């Protein structure tokens, strides 16, 4: 059962690195540079969020506004600790960010993922959450690894 979902705080960083290590989304050491502007700049439009279970972060999400757009955000990262996968945490995280963006008048959320076979469950997850596959960019990440772009309209 998912507890509270809230904005990331600086004190969450050690536990968020454990989430990243467990989920293998990206190497945990990259987090410090990625989240630095968000933590140090009150004007940042980035959104970092986490689900809390038994007082500890068990997930991480990162969303940012697309430049030169009105009301379009991109979900750059979402991961759930392996011990919490399959318990609805990811779905609740998606509902949280969609509600937050919609509440602030934003129109669209884009999510991107790899075309590799090991990301098949990720792609199915986005479809289950109501996202529509809009594009495939061949060999985007590396040779043989396409970028798959999903889209969802937040305000209907």
């Amino acid at each position: 059962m998912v507890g509270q979902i809230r904005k990331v705080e600086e004190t969450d960083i050690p536990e968020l690195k454990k989430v990243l290590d467990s989920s293998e989304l990206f190497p945990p050491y990259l987090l410090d540079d990625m989240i630095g502007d968000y933590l140090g700049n009150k004007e940042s439009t980035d959104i970092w969020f986490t689900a809390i279970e038994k007082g500890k972060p068990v997930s991480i999400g990162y969303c940012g506004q697309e430049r030169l757009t009105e009301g379009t955000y991109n979900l750059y990262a979402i991961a759930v600790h392996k011990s919490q996968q399959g318990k609805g945490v990811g779905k609740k995280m998606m509902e949280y960010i969609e509600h937050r963006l919609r509440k602030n008048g934003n129109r669209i959320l884009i999510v991107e993922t790899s075309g590799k076979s090991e990301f098949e469950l990720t792609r199915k997850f986005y479809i289950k959450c109501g996202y529509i596959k809009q594009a495939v960019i061949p060999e985007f990440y590396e040779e043989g690894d396409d970028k798959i772009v999903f889209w969802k309209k937040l305000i209907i």
Side-chain angles (χ1 to χ4, degrees):
M1 173 66 77
V2 179
Q4 171 192 21
I5 297 177
R6 62 162 170 76
K7 293 166 74 173
V8 166
E9 299 169 0
E10 193 163 3
T11 56
D12 296 329
I13 301 297
E15 290 298 322
L16 294 176
K17 286 181 178 180
K18 291 177 186 177
V19 170
L20 291 170
D21 188 47
S22 165
S23 67
E24 300 178 352
L25 178 66
F26 57 81
Y29 73 87
L30 295 175
L31 182 60
D32 293 323
D33 284 339
M34 291 175 66
I35 202 167
D37 183 62
Y38 165 81
L39 292 173
N41 176 5
K42 293 183 185 212
E43 302 299 315
S44 175
T45 59
D46 289 350
I47 303 168
W48 287 84
F49 55 108
T50 184
I52 305 299
E53 186 62 37
K54 296 181 182 172
K56 292 184 179 181
V58 296
S59 66
I60 186 170
Y62 167 41
C63 189
Q65 186 172 11
E66 284 288 338
R67 291 185 172 113
L68 305 175
T69 68
E70 289 184 22
T72 301
Y73 271 72
N74 192 321
L75 183 65
Y76 295 116
I78 188 167
V80 176
H81 194 284
K82 264 198 190 331
S83 69
Q84 297 296 312
Q85 291 177 1
K87 297 180 179 181
V89 177
K91 184 174 188 282
K92 293 289 186 192
M93 292 280 287
M94 295 301 291
E95 290 170 353
Y96 169 87
I97 195 60
E98 290 170 11
H99 173 76
R100 181 170 171 177
L101 292 171
R102 193 178 294 116
K103 185 175 132 186
N104 291 327
N106 295 291
R107 308 173 305 112
I108 294 170
L109 183 56
I110 302 291
V111 293
E112 304 167 357
T113 193
S114 169
K116 286 186 172 181
S117 61
E118 54 261 42
F119 288 86
E120 180 69 25
L121 289 176
T122 301
R123 294 188 298 273
K124 286 181 179 180
F125 170 73
Y126 291 133
I127 291 168
K128 192 175 178 180
C129 289
Y131 287 78
I132 300 167
K133 181 176 166 182
Q134 290 294 324
V136 176
I137 303 171
E139 301 187 357
F140 181 84
Y141 296 107
E142 62 186 13
E143 190 172 321
D145 189 3
D146 302 343
K147 177 195 274 193
I148 313 295
V149 181
F150 292 88
W151 170 93
K152 186 173 190 179
K153 187 164 185 146
L154 300 174
I155 298 177
I156 301 171

